[in-house]
């Protein structure tokens, strides 16, 4: 049976921490495996920190559900249109001493989650992500 | 993010516990910038008790490593947790882990 959380959060500097607390409560309610929680927690932190720092958004809708053997998460903000998944990732073949320090957050999102997709819909940046329950 | 600091001669161990998110990364940066103004020559960042590490913290660690190295000093990670290991693996930053001499 699907279990869902549907939350609207104001965009403030504390948004990532507030969302983390809501995710923790959701994870507890569905007995989310620790490995899945760590992946989703990381993705949520990185994506919401970007919203706080760059989007100009006023609110974010966070939707979580467990369905079809996976955790599904959707984020929708009312900020400037921006697809973080289209940003180039860091070039990890460059020696650490010369490597660009940017792009690590979205790189972590891509690597930690099994699926991620973006669309601009109804004036909102919508990100859909999923992680298989293991 | 509880942060303990232990200084022996010109070496400092920073023991970070819990969640190193964006807010904690800012705290860490402030602490490291303060240490840069002291005679400390080596900083060992102990992340054995850190259960979360965000990209903002990775940027602080990498930039600190570069800045300290440029001045002939050392800023490295001395210990890791499984969660931190995973993040360092995914971002190709394991070479920042150096055992204290």
């Amino acid at each position: 049976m699907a279990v869902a959380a549907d939350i609207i959060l104001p965009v403030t500097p504390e948004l990532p921490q507030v969302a983390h607390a809501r995710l923790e409560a959701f994870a507890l309610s569905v007995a989310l495996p620790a490995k899945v929680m760590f992946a989703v927690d990381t993705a949520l932190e990185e994506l919401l920190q970007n919203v706080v720092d760059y989007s100009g958004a006023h609110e974010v809708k966070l939707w979580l559900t467990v369905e079809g053997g996976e955790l599904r998460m959707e984020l929708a903000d009312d900020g400037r249109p921006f697809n973080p998944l289209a940003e180039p990732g860091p070039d990890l073949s460059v020696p650490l001493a010369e490597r660009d320090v940017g792009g690590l957050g979205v790189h972590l999102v891509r690597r930690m989650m099994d699926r991620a997709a973006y669309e601009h819909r109804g004036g909102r940046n919508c990100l859909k992500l999923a992680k298989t329950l293991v | 993010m509880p942060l303990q600091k232990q200084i022996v001669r010109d070496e400092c161990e920073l023991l970070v516990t819990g969640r190193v998110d964006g807010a904690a990364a800012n705290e860490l940066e402030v602490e490291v910038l303060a240490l840069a103004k002291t005679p400390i020559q080596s900083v060992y960042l102990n992340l054995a008790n850190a259960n979360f590490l965000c990209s903002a913290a990775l940027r602080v660690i990498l930039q600190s490593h570069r800045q300290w190295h440029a001045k002939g000093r050392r800023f490295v990670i001395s210990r890791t947790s499984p969660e931190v290991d995973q993040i360092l693996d995914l971002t190709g930053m394991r070479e920042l882990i150096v055992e204290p001499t």
Side-chain angles (χ1 to χ4, degrees), chain A residues 20 41 45-46 96 99 107, chain B residues 19 22 55 66 90-91 95:
Chain A
H20 167 70
D41 195 12
E45 164 77 21
E46 299 297 344
L96 208 49
R99 196 180 303 164
H107 172 71
Chain B
R19 185 175 174 81
S55 67
R66 287 174 178 168
L90 290 175
T91 53
E95 66 189 83

Side-chain angles (χ1 to χ4, degrees), chain A:
Chain A
M1 185 175 66
V3 180
D6 195 353
I7 305 156
I8 296 177
L9 299 168
V11 176
T12 66
E14 294 77 28
L15 173 63
Q17 292 103 311
V18 173
H20 167 70
R22 303 300 289 265
L23 173 63
E24 266 195 327
F26 176 78
L28 196 62
S29 72
V30 299
L32 204 62
K35 187 177 173 183
V36 177
M37 174 59 184
F38 183 59
V40 177
D41 195 12
T42 299
L44 188 61
E45 164 77 21
E46 299 297 344
L47 292 169
L48 291 183
Q49 195 62 59
N50 277 351
V51 169
V52 171
D53 291 343
Y54 307 117
S55 74
H58 298 96
E59 68 175 29
V60 176
K61 291 179 75 172
L62 168 62
W63 181 81
L64 297 159
T65 191
V66 171
E67 194 170 11
E70 60 185 14
L71 179 288
R72 294 175 188 165
M73 176 166 72
E74 186 170 339
L75 290 168
D77 73 71
D78 59 353
R80 287 181 286 279
F82 175 68
N83 177 6
L85 303 176
E87 293 298 295
D91 184 352
L92 301 186
S93 67
V94 174
L96 208 49
E98 301 159 22
R99 196 180 303 164
D100 190 346
V101 295
L104 289 170
V106 175
H107 172 71
L108 284 173
V109 173
R110 288 195 193 95
R111 294 297 305 272
M112 298 289 265
M113 301 301 289
D114 295 325
R115 288 190 282 118
Y118 168 90
E119 66 175 326
H120 193 255
R121 188 182 67 220
R124 290 178 181 265
N125 296 298
C126 301
L127 279 162
K128 289 184 176 178
L129 306 108
K131 180 75 177 175
T132 302
L133 299 180
V134 285

